[in-house]
Amino acid sequence: MKHTHHSLTLDDAVQVWLHSWNGEYQHEIAFRFGVNQGRVNEVLKGKRHPGSERIAREKRDFH
């Protein structure tokens, strides 16, 4: 079986924040993007795409 490795883009990371703030669990968000839950956790801990939280806040506040 061939494994495909997906990585989260900056735009994906922004969406991860928005989904998290809407109450989705990390494993649900990971499934949505086809990644391991650890990648979602890295975004939410600021280890991956550190500017994504700020962008997500601006996007959320704009709407």
Side-chain angles (χ1 to χ4, degrees), residues 16-33:
V16 164
W17 282 104
L18 296 173
H19 287 293
S20 178
W21 292 332
N22 283 331
E24 283 189 47
Y25 293 108
Q26 289 184 21
H27 69 275
E28 294 170 330
I29 299 168
F31 180 78
R32 177 185 296 275
F33 289 98

